[in-house]
Amino acid sequence: MALVVPKQIAELPWRVMWIVIALAGAGMLSLYSAAGGSLMPWALPHAVRFATFLAMAIALSYIRPKLFEETVHLAYAGIILLLITVFAFGAIAGGARSWLDLGVIRIQPSELAKPVMMLVLARFYAMVPPREIGRWSALWPALALLAVPTLLILIQPDLGTAALLVLSAIGIMFLAGLPLSWFLGGAAAVAAMVPIAYSLMMPHQQARVLIFLNPEEDPLGAGYHITQSQIAIGSGGLFGKGFLNGSQSHLQYLPEQHTDFIFSAFAEEWGLVGGLVLIALFFLLLRWGMKVAVDARGRFERLAAAGLTLTIFFYIAVNLMMVMGLAPVVGIPLPLVSYGGSAMMTVMICIGLLMSIDRQTRRDPRRGGGGL
Amino acid sequence: MKKRYRPPPTEAGIAASFSRRAMLIGAGQAALAAVLAGRMGYVAIAQNQRYSDLADSNRIQTRLIPPRRGWIVDRHGQPMASNRSDFRVDLIPDQIEDADRVIAELTRILSLTPEAVEKIREDLAAAAGFQPVPVAEHLSFEKFAEVTVRLPDLPGVSPLRAFARFYPEGAAVGHLIGYVGTPNRDEYEAENRSPLLLTPGFKIGKEGLEKVVEQRLRGRPGAARVEVTARGRLVRELRTLPDVSGAPLRTTIDAGLQSYAARRIGDESGACVIMDCNNGDLLAMASMPAYDPNAFSDGISRSEWAMMSEDERRPLLNKVLNALYPPGSTLKPMAAMALLEAGVDPEDVVSCGGGYRLGNRVFRCLGRHGPMNMHRAIARSCNTYFYAMAHRHGYEIIASMARALGLGERFDMPVVSQSYGTIPDAAWKRRRFDQAWSHSDSLNAVIGQGYVIVNPLQLATMSACLASGRRVRPRLIAGEGPAPADFAYDPAHFERIRRAMSEVVNGAGTAGRSRLPFPDILMGGKTGTAQVRAISSGSRGGAGVARRFRDHGLFVFFAPVDRPLYAGAVVIEHGMGGSRAAAPVARDVLTYLFDKDRAMAALEPLEREWGGNIGERMARRTTQWEAARAAAAAAPPPAEAP
């Protein structure tokens, strides 16, 4: 092995790379099947896009974390600017718009906001002196930093992305060492707010919540997604209906089968076994991320790595809970598997940054490698 | 306030807290992974069967192929209800997007009448889910094709090649066979919401035999299992299970005779029943006027229905089974049989002076017949003889003979309903009116008046029993039904009655004009006149009064006298007497059984006189009725008060 493989390639974090390649490969298989056994329109672009983002992630891994730490405020400012631009364009176009069409590529600033927000918060908490960590001054600047992009995303409106951003930020604050009582108090406050929030919701939003609680009440309407997704997963059984044999996805009973509900389409054809393999791969990916965080040397690296892992985690958690009927239907794709560039880009950026932190840790003589 | 001392966080403390909290988060992630894996296992393994079924029910649609309905044939296998190929168009309510536009388009293509459009709209409003609403049937292939090519623009429209029920004999078999129609909501619910009943073009029996033997005629539906996409596009056919046509139902009816009898009744309203008197097989059960079941199967229009409901000749009523008449003198042979069995000497003479005095009341006879023995009393239809005999021997023996011969009996027959009337006796009167039976009741009952009411089928059965000397009961389905049994009565008594009934027609009797046109075949019979208005009202129900007050004409008969084969009854409503209206019908119908050509030759001039065959006359009546209605509608409405 050492004979053939050049050192630079051998040194790549292959373990995490195999995981993401396997996940993207599963996505490709599903997209190929969803198109009725055709590389177009989804499977091939998915593969090309993944290859590009993987290269980008590897490139990112060669940049030292220090550089991200020092320049993240510029990235933050850039994101805010982009979000404002999107909002302005959306206003001009007369509707909700979260895309910025730059001709060649279309980017979704709210997606970019997630890793940038994690780095910004990591940098902020890296600067907070340990003595101050239990004080108000450790909270409000973070909340302010979080509030600006969150509000801009909310008015797009993109409730799902905003929620994921806030959840990841809370995760970082928790890891930064803010007093536990604040989180418990916050959780209690949110719990108390639920009935009030429900009463403030639009009727169609309330209906969505109720249908989530009992999807079979409206099997052809808003509960249709959840019902059909469960049918796809449940009818797959232990070993699935076989590749290219998923009736739920092929006959279009499963909506959004190439994006949000790709896990259901995959599970239909590959069964419980296939689905568990996918869940295990995601879990391994997250475990790697958390390990990178725990092993990292500096406070910034630790918090950044943990925050980026949480970002990936919330994507996976919300999507899988949604397709299995454990969470309401919100438009969150399954990263690396779903068709679509933005979530994949976000996750690959996160992975690139994690690999960069990992590389840094492994180069550190005091720790003597480690990584995995 | 005392506060527990907490050391200020240090760099090392923060790092340790990070490790602990990161572990907590990692554990949380692992826990979620476990929850997801568990959930997935539950859905995919524990609930696998349920979701597999749901996936299949998504994917596989079973399209029912309605079975072809079994024919109803006569005793010789000639169809009385068959099927013919039919192009039709239906609307599937759930699939319609813009009902107004679709209906307008269909109205244009199929030239629907405003009345039809109104009915479609009404049906559409009342339809349940996928239950199709019929738009048009019996379309020409051109119109059918025109709808078919426009289907992509007409969601909810379902053109279909189906089979329509066809009744070659039309109105002649209306009441007997009944008709079929699209199942209504109640019928759908009653069959446990069987999807077959929602299949476009599927019809079920609504009346008569079609309704009673529905399950035998229906057959088993076939099914085409097809795979469809979420939008309903057909992907492929998986399997087709062919339908099994319903078995043909052979009746005892002689279709030719049935048709002849219906035609022979002509413009009168009435019933004609002919039985094989040796086994009870019904050869004809005509009730006229009747509806044309072909028209009913298409879904009758409201104006047709209104016309029939208003017709005083009651075309919607099956007069064989559901009309009750006082039998009048037709009961006299039966009463005589009862007297013979009670030991009365048939040569005992009662002198008829035009009536019978009971206390201070005189029960009148139709004439002054002079001395009457039993034979002459039957032939001349002398009331006085029977008044005297009933008074002398009591009515109970006559009532029990009446019941033995089938009067007042509900027959075990495949019919939707039968009205079985009353053969009164003391117990009945006590129950019904809480009054004691009186002699005058006996006198009225013995001449078939008073409380006695029967239906024509019972009269035919009575006649068949007298003719054969056996206990026969009507049978409608070949090879099924009650078997004839022997009576414990003296066969010689039956023979005596038959001779007297022969005298009615062939001797010095009341129906002398209705002899059969054969030297060697004699018909025996008995006329009857049923009062519609009480005798006490002064005038009899003769020619001089309004139709609805005229007497009914009845006739019971059998032939040949020496070796009876056939027996029956004819009732002509408001026919003013059995000899005048009913007996000639019986004569011609029996003639048909012995010599068809001769019978047809007798019918043709009559139909010419009436103005065509049944179909032609019905069509003319409909036209006239609609013209009258249109004229009434066109008349200016009464001016409203300002």
Side-chain angles (χ1 to χ4, degrees):
Chain A
M1 170 117 166
L3 302 174
V4 199
V5 185
K7 185 165 177 283
Q8 299 219 307
I9 293 182
E11 274 190 346
L12 287 171
W14 279 110
R15 193 152 168 193
V16 68
M17 280 171 57
W18 282 126
I19 292 172
V20 293
I21 289 167
L23 286 167
M28 225 185 113
L29 284 180
S30 269
L31 293 171
Y32 179 81
S33 174
S38 160
L39 285 173
M40 293 305 283
W42 299 313
L44 190 63
H46 183 78
V48 170
R49 204 178 281 149
F50 173 70
T52 313
F53 287 134
L54 184 63
M56 179 202 70
I58 291 168
L60 279 179
S61 76
Y62 283 97
I63 301 170
R64 281 168 183 272
K66 201 75 197 158
L67 185 63
F68 300 123
E69 187 175 7
E70 281 160 3
T71 57
V72 74
H73 58 284
L74 295 174
Y76 182 80
I79 287 296
I80 301 297
L81 210 64
L82 281 175
L83 285 170
I84 291 170
T85 314
V86 164
F87 176 62
F89 271 113
I92 290 163
R97 232 173 80 162
S98 54
W99 295 95
L100 208 54
D101 202 334
L102 300 180
V104 195
I105 54 162
R106 299 196 310 166
I107 56 169
Q108 207 171 355
S110 55
E111 286 290 338
L112 285 174
K114 290 174 192 168
V116 169
M117 195 65 228
M118 293 306 105
L119 296 184
V120 165
L121 288 175
R123 185 182 182 198
F124 168 71
Y125 283 109
M127 293 190 308
V128 174
R131 261 178 297 109
E132 306 273 318
I133 204 72
R135 303 211 178 131
W136 179 236
S137 59
L139 186 60
W140 72 260
L143 289 182
L145 285 168
L146 177 63
V148 178
T150 304
L151 289 175
L152 283 167
I153 292 168
L154 268 180
I155 57 177
Q156 280 181 356
D158 185 352
L159 189 65
T161 302
L164 253 56
L165 195 61
V166 170
L167 284 171
S168 313
I170 292 171
I172 267 204
M173 293 175 188
F174 176 70
L175 290 166
L178 294 186
L180 264 181
S181 54
W182 291 8
F183 295 97
L184 298 176
V190 167
M193 288 277 288
V194 165
I196 299 167
Y198 181 78
S199 67
L200 291 177
M201 278 185 193
M202 303 285 221
H204 76 269
Q205 291 169 320
Q206 294 183 342
R208 255 195 184 191
V209 174
L210 291 179
I211 286 155
F212 158 64
L213 295 173
N214 188 9
E216 267 143 51
E217 195 129 289
D218 186 15
L220 292 175
Y224 181 81
H225 290 58
I226 294 177
T227 308
Q228 294 301 331
S229 170
Q230 306 242 57
I231 291 175
I233 297 171
S235 65
L238 187 55
F239 296 108
K241 294 177 186 168
F243 186 47
L244 298 178
N245 280 332
S247 66
Q248 284 289 105
S249 52
H250 285 228
L251 302 177
Q252 286 111 43
Y253 291 100
L254 187 60
E256 314 280 347
Q257 46 151 334
H258 62 290
T259 57
D260 294 356
F261 286 91
I262 193 151
F263 181 84
S264 320
F266 182 83
E268 186 185 19
E269 295 193 348
W270 300 91
L272 176 64
V273 171
L276 290 181
V277 166
L278 227 50
I279 293 173
L281 286 171
F282 277 118
F283 179 68
L284 287 176
L285 179 67
L286 295 170
R287 210 182 65 148
W288 172 79
M290 290 312 286
K291 195 112 198 312
V292 168
V294 171
D295 290 345
R297 206 184 36 167
R299 271 172 92 191
F300 169 76
E301 284 83 351
R302 278 206 303 263
L303 289 173
L308 294 165
T309 308
L310 281 174
T311 300
I312 301 172
F313 169 71
F314 283 119
Y315 268 113
I316 300 163
V318 172
N319 179 274
L320 289 184
M321 284 169 67
M322 169 180 90
V323 300
M324 291 188 201
L326 298 172
V329 174
V330 285
I332 299 290
L334 187 62
L336 301 172
V337 187
S338 286
Y339 181 77
S342 343
M344 185 192 265
M345 181 185 70
T346 309
V347 169
M348 289 310 285
I349 288 174
C350 292
I351 286 169
L353 296 171
L354 281 164
M355 291 196 307
S356 153
I357 295 165
D358 183 37
R359 184 183 294 278
Q360 165 95 1
T361 310
R362 281 193 291 170
R363 254 187 299 198
D364 184 349
R366 275 179 297 172
R367 289 277 171 125
L372 282 169
Chain B
M1 192 167 170
K2 232 181 167 180
K3 221 177 166 183
R4 198 160 63 92
Y5 172 74
R6 223 187 242 156
T10 62
E11 185 79 37
I14 295 273
S17 139
F18 176 86
S19 295
R20 279 198 310 276
R21 291 188 179 190
M23 206 115 96
L24 202 64
I25 284 186
Q29 289 171 350
L32 187 78
V35 165
L36 289 173
R39 169 76 181 172
M40 208 184 148
Y42 171 74
V43 170
I45 303 298
Q47 305 260 286
N48 174 246
Q49 195 52 54
R50 174 170 168 240
Y51 285 121
S52 290
D53 293 347
L54 284 172
D56 279 348
S57 72
N58 263 345
R59 175 174 76 95
I60 298 168
Q61 254 187 28
T62 302
R63 296 191 175 163
L64 282 175
I65 304 167
R68 251 180 273 180
R69 205 171 169 79
W71 287 17
I72 299 176
V73 299
D74 84 341
R75 62 192 298 115
H76 307 300
Q78 186 189 330
M80 292 196 290
S82 58
N83 305 307
R84 61 180 176 191
S85 191
D86 177 40
F87 294 110
R88 55 179 292 120
V89 169
D90 301 278
L91 283 176
I92 311 296
D94 273 9
Q95 293 174 4
I96 296 179
E97 282 160 16
D98 182 351
D100 290 336
R101 190 182 63 78
V102 167
I103 292 174
E105 185 80 350
L106 286 177
T107 307
R108 197 183 58 71
I109 301 172
L110 304 174
S111 341
L112 301 175
T113 62
E115 193 177 301
V117 172
E118 194 190 327
K119 187 166 192 303
I120 292 167
R121 284 187 189 283
E122 236 167 66
D123 289 352
L124 205 53
F130 279 95
Q131 183 165 14
V133 170
V135 172
E137 296 176 300
H138 311 320
L139 295 172
S140 68
F141 181 73
E142 287 72 26
K143 296 223 162 179
F144 181 76
E146 209 176 333
V147 173
T148 310
V149 296
R150 272 165 227 249
L151 269 191
D153 306 333
L154 297 170
V157 174
S158 156
L160 200 76
R161 207 188 141 179
F163 289 94
R165 202 64 160 161
F166 176 59
Y167 305 94
E169 305 290 346
V173 298
H175 293 131
L176 170 64
I177 305 284
Y179 55 93
V180 295
T182 308
N184 61 30
R185 195 181 285 241
D186 290 342
E187 285 155 345
Y188 173 57
E189 307 275 344
E191 291 210 27
N192 290 322
R193 302 166 167 265
S194 159
L196 178 63
L197 268 60
L198 298 186
T199 310
F202 184 75
K203 300 205 166 152
I204 64 170
K206 296 277 191 173
E207 254 303 335
L209 274 176
E210 292 274 32
K211 178 170 182 172
V212 179
V213 291
E214 167 67 24
Q215 295 303 332
R216 278 161 73 168
L217 292 171
R218 185 178 288 180
R220 273 210 319 277
R225 280 161 70 82
V226 293
E227 191 173 75
V228 292
T229 68
R231 298 211 181 98
R233 194 172 55 81
L234 191 139
V235 181
R236 59 192 160 135
E237 284 212 2
L238 300 174
R239 198 160 61 93
T240 299
L241 188 74
D243 60 299
V244 178
S245 298
L249 180 82
R250 200 158 75 88
T251 62
T252 58
I253 299 291
D254 177 328
L257 182 71
Q258 168 84 17
S259 176
Y260 185 88
R263 288 169 69 182
R264 183 58 186 78
I265 293 171
D267 275 337
E268 301 288 350
S269 65
C272 172
V273 183
I274 314 280
M275 289 165 84
D276 180 326
C277 65
N278 292 304
N279 57 23
D281 279 0
L282 284 158
L283 302 177
M285 258 177 91
S287 161
M288 293 301 285
Y291 48 80
D292 182 347
N294 290 306
F296 270 53
S297 295
D298 300 349
I300 189 170
S301 76
R302 204 174 323 197
S303 68
E304 283 174 285
W305 182 268
M307 182 181 95
M308 292 199 183
S309 322
E310 290 166 19
D311 193 332
E312 64 170 351
R313 301 180 312 154
R314 298 183 291 174
L316 296 172
L317 181 77
N318 183 350
K319 294 171 193 74
V320 172
L321 293 164
N322 293 318
L324 293 169
Y325 307 94
S329 307
T330 56
L331 292 199
K332 283 173 183 162
M334 179 277 295
M337 181 69 196
L339 295 172
L340 288 174
E341 281 296 312
V344 172
D345 182 347
E347 295 308 327
D348 280 0
V349 168
V350 171
S351 184
C352 171
Y356 182 79
R357 176 173 293 274
L358 179 72
N360 58 0
R361 213 175 133 189
V362 176
F363 286 75
R364 299 203 302 175
C365 190
L366 294 173
R368 301 166 76 91
H369 294 112
M372 286 278 128
N373 64 9
M374 182 181 284
H375 185 85
R376 281 162 58 208
I378 292 173
R380 306 284 299 279
S381 200
C382 176
N383 288 354
T384 307
Y385 176 87
F386 287 95
Y387 290 145
M389 288 296 174
H391 191 200
R392 208 174 292 164
H393 300 282
Y395 181 68
E396 292 297 328
I397 55 162
I398 295 163
S400 83
M401 178 59 72
R403 293 197 190 96
L405 303 192
L407 298 176
E409 180 174 328
R410 172 184 228 148
F411 298 124
D412 176 19
M413 278 179 82
V415 294
V416 173
S417 75
Q418 47 180 321
S419 308
Y420 44 97
T422 307
I423 294 299
D425 60 14
W428 173 86
K429 196 182 179 195
R430 175 65 62 193
R431 204 165 58 236
R432 181 82 168 71
F433 297 110
D434 196 22
Q435 282 172 6
W437 186 260
S438 68
H439 286 298
S440 60
D441 289 332
S442 296
L443 268 53
N444 276 323
V446 78
I447 60 156
Q449 300 284 354
Y451 301 120
V452 185
I453 44 170
V454 299
N455 71 33
L457 180 62
Q458 290 167 337
L459 286 178
T461 304
M462 172 190 78
S463 179
C465 289
L466 290 172
S468 64
R470 307 190 71 201
R471 186 186 184 281
V472 293
R473 288 297 181 266
R475 306 199 299 196
L476 187 49
I477 294 179
E480 289 177 28
D486 286 328
F487 281 125
Y489 305 139
D490 185 347
H493 292 165
F494 281 113
E495 183 56 29
R496 192 172 280 279
I497 299 298
R498 281 195 289 269
R499 301 225 160 278
M501 287 175 77
S502 179
E503 181 83 11
V504 170
V505 180
N506 306 300
T510 52
R513 282 174 300 174
S514 299
R515 272 174 213 148
L516 291 181
F518 310 106
D520 52 341
I521 306 173
L522 298 182
M523 169 170 78
K526 181 69 196 81
T527 54
T529 301
Q531 288 157 18
V532 170
R533 199 150 64 160
I535 295 175
S536 59
S537 68
S539 64
R540 290 299 309 257
V545 299
R547 180 180 184 276
R548 68 177 188 281
F549 294 130
R550 290 179 196 163
D551 295 339
H552 299 314
L554 300 92
F555 189 62
V556 298
F557 54 90
F558 64 91
V561 168
D562 49 352
R563 193 174 53 84
L565 294 174
Y566 309 112
V570 172
V571 176
I572 301 296
E573 291 186 341
H574 310 294
M576 297 185 292
S579 61
R580 174 175 163 170
V585 172
R587 175 197 62 206
D588 288 351
V589 171
L590 281 179
T591 303
Y592 179 93
L593 279 167
F594 296 110
D595 185 344
K596 287 191 176 66
D597 295 337
R598 199 163 195 154
M600 294 313 287
L603 178 62
E604 271 153 21
L606 287 173
E607 282 200 333
R608 261 201 304 284
E609 187 188 321
W610 296 329
N613 63 28
I614 297 173
E616 289 161 4
R617 298 203 309 273
M618 279 175 75
R620 191 169 324 122
R621 266 174 181 273
T622 307
T623 317
Q624 282 168 359
W625 189 85
E626 274 170 357
R629 199 177 62 134
E640 279 180 45

